[in-house]
Amino acid sequence: MRFHIMTLFPDIFNSYMSESIMKRAIEKEIIEVHVYNIRDFSANKHKKVDDYPFGGGAGMLMTPQPIYDTYKHIVDTHNITNPRVVYLTPKGQVYKQEIASDLSLDEDIILLCGHYEGIDQRIIDLIVTDEVSIGDYVLTGGELPALIMIDSIARLIPGVLSQNESFEEESFKDDLLEYPHYTRPREFMGMSVPDVLLSGNHQKIEKWRLEESKKITKLRRPDLYKKSCKK
């Protein structure tokens, strides 16, 4: 899979991608991450990428030309047809595991990181296929949401995670939150590991884990618990 990121701050991505699981996935050539500085594609002699909104209002908007030319460079350079272009915006659909799973099936994903008060609507109309929000709050830009999406999508691609980092039994599987985990020592500050986990009886362990997942989900995410009960 190839991730293509359109941003005004490329160094944010270069740092994250040079560490841990993302670094290994890139070295194994399981994923590619290409970062493009939108400012490099500005036709303005001062590399200006923003301007005042028509109709007045606070703040500035990202102008369409630099973004569109960045997009054209990406699709032409990599011969991408019908690209999936995701614009990170508070106005978008709230990001969930189902969206990550859907996007993990694409060969190329273009992520557009907005700034200021947003981007010219004509760019959204021309090239954007998905508008995504990572939550009901506002950030200074789309870079952190883009990193979250790359991380959550990449880890679903076969070979990115090792067996010890498997994603198959995690929160949101079957709309349930994950059960509690314990490791050595058996006792810590007067608290013991549940006896069932030391029993060696895998059937009882699986039953306990499922019951704990349901209990935690019902308490913390009743919306998810209702969904799981309908399955």
Side-chain angles (χ1 to χ4, degrees), residues 27-159:
E27 289 175 344
K28 291 179 181 178
E29 299 182 351
I30 300 171
I31 66 170
E32 297 177 18
V33 179
H34 303 279
V35 185
Y36 308 85
N37 190 334
I38 296 170
R39 200 176 298 277
D40 292 341
F41 295 87
S42 174
N44 181 280
K45 65 179 181 179
H46 301 296
K47 296 301 179 182
K48 186 179 169 76
V49 295
D50 63 331
D51 213 326
Y52 295 103
F54 284 121
M60 306 285 277
L61 286 177
M62 292 179 70
T63 55
Q65 176 272 316
I67 299 173
Y68 187 78
D69 284 4
T70 308
Y71 163 81
K72 280 291 291 177
H73 173 78
I74 295 169
V75 296
D76 291 346
T77 301
H78 296 277
N79 298 313
I80 305 172
T81 57
N82 299 319
R84 195 83 175 262
V85 181
V86 180
Y87 172 43
L88 290 312
T89 169
K91 296 189 296 183
Q93 179 183 7
V94 176
Y95 190 57
K96 295 183 179 181
Q97 189 68 23
E98 291 88 345
I99 299 175
S101 298
D102 177 44
L103 289 169
S104 71
L105 303 177
D106 285 278
E107 292 184 9
D108 289 273
I109 298 173
I110 300 174
L111 298 168
L112 171 55
C113 304
H115 261 274
Y116 313 118
E117 291 301 310
I119 66 175
D120 190 294
Q121 179 64 37
R122 289 167 291 185
I123 282 295
I124 297 173
D125 296 339
L126 282 168
I127 69 171
V128 170
T129 60
D130 302 82
E131 294 184 69
V132 174
S133 166
I134 62 164
D136 295 334
Y137 47 88
V138 180
L139 299 172
T140 56
E143 282 73 22
L144 286 176
L147 281 170
I148 288 170
M149 288 191 67
I150 294 168
D151 190 293
S152 59
I153 294 166
R155 66 196 308 281
L156 298 175
I157 299 170

Side-chain angles (χ1 to χ4, degrees), residues 17-33:
M17 296 305 157
S18 64
E19 301 287 344
S20 188
I21 293 171
M22 294 298 105
K23 178 183 179 182
R24 294 203 312 262
I26 293 169
E27 289 175 344
K28 291 179 181 178
E29 299 182 351
I30 300 171
I31 66 170
E32 297 177 18
V33 179

Side-chain angles (χ1 to χ4, degrees), residues 96-98 101 155-156 166-179 206 209-210 213-214 217 224-225 227-229 231:
K96 295 183 179 181
Q97 189 68 23
E98 291 88 345
S101 298
R155 66 196 308 281
L156 298 175
S166 175
F167 62 83
E168 292 180 359
E169 292 187 8
E170 294 184 323
S171 289
F172 308 112
K173 182 178 182 293
D174 298 324
D175 293 312
L176 292 174
L177 300 181
E178 199 169 13
Y179 50 79
E206 290 304 312
R209 285 174 170 171
L210 179 58
S213 286
K214 288 180 178 179
T217 307
L224 285 178
Y225 182 74
K227 284 179 65 179
S228 70
C229 290
K231 293 185 175 181

